[in-house]
Amino acid sequence: MRLTESDRKEPAVPYLHNYRLFVSHAWGYSERYLRAVQFLNNAPNLSWSNYSVPVDGAYPRMSNSALKDALRNQIRPVQCVVVVSGMYINHSDWIQFEMEYAKSLGKPILGIRRWGAQRTPEQVISYADEMVNWNSASIVEAIRRLVP
């Protein structure tokens, strides 16, 4: 059978979903946050919106109550919370709060094992819906699995 010009169709371009993500981090460890953001920004065929506040946009000094409200406002619209684990998390009440709040809303949590780390904090393991290694492909594949 011979195809005519009208029989030939261009392949359909897949719809590129825009993922709304909150990347949890501690200000004192912002290089890990920046590296995770860089992974996501450089991932092929990934469109995402960052609902986190980077260190250069840090909130001014505010009460714990006001900061909790600000974090809730950041997390509420996202589809997934990404936590770059490290032992510093054992000392961060804020990251714990973010994970607890995300869970209360039914948001999936993606835990990323730090590259070269010997241990992963138990809090991240227990809250995470999925744990992945520190590489772009693993992170992106997990986000696609966790966010419908």
Side-chain angles (χ1 to χ4, degrees), residues 53 57-63 66-67:
V53 173
Y59 293 124
R61 188 175 272 305
M62 60 176 62
S63 70
L67 183 53

Side-chain angles (χ1 to χ4, degrees), residues 2-50:
R2 188 168 191 207
L3 294 176
T4 65
E5 201 60 36
S6 63
D7 294 329
R8 295 186 188 129
K9 294 182 180 177
E10 292 294 317
V13 176
Y15 169 72
L16 194 57
H17 181 84
N18 185 58
Y19 296 94
R20 296 183 315 272
L21 307 175
F22 177 86
V23 181
S24 181
H25 59 286
W27 296 125
Y29 297 86
S30 62
E31 73 280 353
R32 295 173 192 159
Y33 165 81
L34 294 172
R35 182 69 188 262
V37 167
Q38 183 180 31
F39 273 168
L40 294 168
N41 285 340
N42 294 335
N45 300 317
L46 179 72
S47 174
W48 75 291
S49 295
N50 187 351

